[in-house]
Amino acid sequence: MELTEPIRLIATDLDGTLLNDNYEISTVIKDAIQRARQNGVEVVVTTGRDRASALKYIETIHLTDTFIGSGGAEIWREGKIIETISLTLDQTRWLMGIVTELDCGSFVDQLPYTWNFGNRKYVEMYLHVSDAAQKTEDVETFYHPLPNKISIINEPEVLAEIRPRIVERYPSLHLTTPFSHILDVNPTGADKGTAILHLAALMNIPASQIAAVGDSDNDIAMLDVAAVPFAVGNAVETVKQRVRCIAPSNNENGVAWMIDEILAANAKIKR
């Protein structure tokens, strides 16, 4: 890989990318992240999870200070929340009405908490990726403060019916499908791409010096703004079609491979 400018910021997705299928970050990847930082390359985890659900992973790689969560709706810098974008009250009420009407499960990101609500069959399918979520049966919980992401959980064919209903009523909301049974609904302007550009600007890093890696369609906005986008080998086909490079899979330390490719390319520029 050849670069015209050095990469100074790497944005990496968490589930299916940084984590292997056993929900672990390998020692190989941890060592690679350390090498990146030693060579002046910042690494930021950019995930659909809220910070509480990601914390046990980002703590092990010492990346708790700078973090993008809830699919881009929350940005953390120096351990503090610097931006959060919320759904409106009307949007929240209408979306939770859909959850109730169609007997869906849901996760609702509402700083500082994440809640699970609705059909337990669907909630329990994904508690492993939102294990900080507290249970509530009171929809009024979500109105004060307003949430910055609602994840609707049901069968893929049901989600396929819900999506156009949302688009028709609220066309500017950001919709992604990080897992087959989940439809994530983010506020207008809250996506991983917008968030990483905002964070990079605060770090005085231009878009031309950003690399990103992911595996699912909630990563596309981030990959589209990165100068050097990667997909891991297990990524969905729509993601692979948007990138310049395909790394090994999440079970084959793909992020470590990507980091080493970038460090080698950066070194060529310096020579």
Side-chain angles (χ1 to χ4, degrees):
M1 182 175 66
E2 293 187 2
L3 301 174
T4 57
E5 294 184 52
I7 294 299
R8 294 171 53 207
L9 176 63
I10 296 173
T12 174
D13 174 48
L14 189 61
D15 293 281
T17 302
L18 199 62
L19 300 181
N20 62 26
D21 287 351
N22 293 320
Y23 293 92
E24 301 167 336
I25 302 176
S26 72
T27 300
V28 172
I29 290 178
K30 290 177 182 178
D31 290 346
I33 290 172
Q34 181 66 14
R35 282 196 299 279
R37 301 180 79 185
Q38 288 171 345
N39 283 276
V41 180
E42 297 281 351
V43 180
V44 59
V45 172
T46 308
T47 177
R49 296 186 188 227
D50 70 317
R51 191 171 183 271
S53 295
L55 194 59
K56 65 183 178 182
Y57 302 111
I58 61 177
E59 283 180 332
T60 67
I61 49 178
H62 310 292
L63 295 181
T64 56
D65 285 354
T66 303
F67 172 79
I68 293 171
S70 296
E74 58 176 89
I75 304 175
W76 296 73
R77 180 77 173 136
E78 297 178 350
K80 298 177 182 178
I81 185 79
I82 60 169
E83 178 167 321
T84 180
I85 305 174
S86 300
L87 294 160
T88 68
L89 180 58
D90 285 347
Q91 290 167 346
T92 303
R93 282 179 169 156
W94 187 83
L95 289 164
M96 295 314 299
I98 292 288
V99 169
T100 302
E101 172 195 340
L102 298 178
D103 196 25
C104 303
S106 65
F107 294 114
V108 182
D109 292 4
Q110 180 198 55
L111 285 169
Y113 305 110
T114 295
W115 305 91
N116 67 70
F117 174 88
N119 189 317
R120 301 309 300 173
K121 168 189 170 182
Y122 293 115
V123 165
E124 289 171 6
M125 286 175 66
Y126 290 100
L127 275 176
H128 61 287
V129 296
S130 195
D131 52 12
Q134 303 179 57
K135 180 181 178 182
T136 182
E137 297 178 358
D138 182 7
V139 73
E140 295 285 331
T141 302
F142 310 131
Y143 303 153
H144 306 286
L146 291 165
N148 49 29
K149 188 186 71 162
I150 295 175
S151 299
I152 302 173
I153 317 169
N154 210 310
E155 300 301 322
E157 57 268 24
V158 176
L159 299 182
E161 295 174 2
I162 292 172
R163 181 185 280 264
R165 290 178 63 179
I166 297 173
V167 170
E168 180 179 8
R169 186 174 179 98
Y170 299 113
S172 67
L173 294 181
H174 187 69
L175 308 181
T176 56
T177 307
F179 300 98
S180 61
H181 288 69
I182 291 184
L183 177 63
D184 277 352
V185 184
N186 273 105
T188 305
D191 62 74
K192 292 186 179 185
T194 301
I196 197 64
L197 289 178
H198 184 171
L199 180 62
L202 294 175
M203 300 167 74
N204 295 313
I205 297 174
S208 58
Q209 297 179 357
I210 300 173
V213 58
D215 74 301
S216 72
D217 81 339
N218 73 342
D219 298 313
I220 287 175
M222 172 175 72
L223 298 171
D224 282 350
V225 303
V228 185
F230 286 76
V232 283
N234 53 292
V236 297
E237 195 60 35
T238 52
V239 169
K240 290 180 178 178
Q241 292 171 359
R242 305 293 277 262
V243 303
R244 182 188 304 183
C245 304
I246 306 293
S249 75
N250 63 322
N251 291 322
E252 300 169 305
N253 301 308
V255 173
W257 181 90
M258 170 208 185
I259 288 172
D260 286 337
E261 288 287 302
I262 288 169
L263 293 180
N266 279 358
K268 290 178 182 177
I269 294 174
K270 291 178 182 178
R271 289 200 297 268

